[in-house]
Amino acid sequence: MKELLNKLIRLKIQYLQMLLKFHMEQTNSSKKIYEMAKSLLGDRVAPYDKRSAYGTLGCAMTVSIIIKRATGYPIGGDGFIEGTPELYTCLLNDSHFIKVDKPLPGDIRLGVTGTGNGRLSNAHAGIDGYHGVMSNNSNNGRLQQKISFDEWKRIYEDFGGYETFYFRML
């Protein structure tokens, strides 16, 4: 019995070490997500019609499509998520993703619409690059890296009151 208990303790330690490693290092999946997003800069990734919800609410869908194209994994079941609240719930409850405190390129960055201070009607979602956030531009529906990390903080956290969450795919 003591031997079995010691083995379980060693396995638990190995598991915790593995989780700690994933919290500190870019994973193969996050590398693929970053590379896919980078290759799609300038493209319309999600369906776009400026008069529809997809014109102003395409960021979560763009992120979910990039994840599916990069890894083959359809987050949320079909890989077609339509809002930041749904994206947050899917990432939080999906064992393929972990919530992290310090984002790396390829990690998902998002604020959740409906949780801010009311000064901004919508939050935002994107994929971290090396120098900023790659995200859907609601004005033209194209994936762009036009928001720096400092601008994200100023716009969404400081002005909009949104908490920013970061997720890494394992």
Side-chain angles (χ1 to χ4, degrees):
M1 183 70 168
K2 186 176 178 181
E3 186 179 314
L4 179 62
L5 186 57
N6 285 335
K7 186 173 182 173
L8 285 173
I9 291 170
R10 282 193 307 276
L11 286 172
K12 175 105 177 180
I13 290 170
Q14 288 173 344
Y15 174 74
L16 291 173
Q17 288 171 332
M18 183 185 74
L19 275 182
L20 181 60
K21 177 185 172 197
F22 285 132
H23 275 275
M24 300 174 75
E25 294 180 7
Q26 192 180 30
T27 63
N28 285 335
S29 294
S30 60
K31 288 176 187 175
K32 289 178 184 177
I33 292 167
Y34 167 77
E35 290 298 330
M36 178 60 70
K38 184 178 161 189
S39 75
L40 294 171
L41 285 171
D43 291 352
R44 286 189 175 139
V45 177
Y48 177 77
D49 180 346
K50 192 170 185 167
R51 296 165 297 166
S52 74
Y54 299 132
T56 57
L57 305 175
C59 60
M61 187 180 302
T62 296
V63 167
S64 64
I65 290 170
I66 290 170
I67 291 169
K68 185 175 180 182
R69 287 174 78 175
T71 67
Y73 183 71
I75 185 168
D78 62 2
F80 205 68
I81 294 182
E82 295 186 19
T84 58
E86 182 184 357
L87 179 60
Y88 175 76
T89 300
C90 287
L91 292 169
L92 192 62
N93 296 314
D94 192 313
S95 63
H96 289 87
F97 293 87
I98 57 171
K99 198 172 176 185
V100 295
D101 295 327
K102 297 193 184 314
L104 296 170
D107 288 347
I108 311 308
R109 169 185 295 249
L110 79 148
V112 181
T113 297
T115 63
N117 59 23
R119 293 169 76 186
L120 284 177
S121 58
N122 296 307
H124 200 42
I127 296 168
D128 274 13
Y130 283 93
H131 306 290
V133 184
M134 295 177 277
S135 61
N136 180 66
N137 180 335
S138 297
N139 294 322
N140 61 23
R142 296 186 186 283
L143 183 68
Q144 295 180 325
Q145 184 171 313
K146 68 175 200 161
I147 301 174
S148 71
F149 302 128
D150 289 340
E151 288 173 311
W152 178 286
K153 182 180 182 329
R154 186 177 46 77
I155 295 166
Y156 295 103
E157 294 177 17
D158 298 341
F159 181 76
Y162 292 105
E163 182 177 356
T164 299
F165 300 98
Y166 310 100
F167 291 90
R168 182 168 303 142
M169 189 170 191
L170 300 176

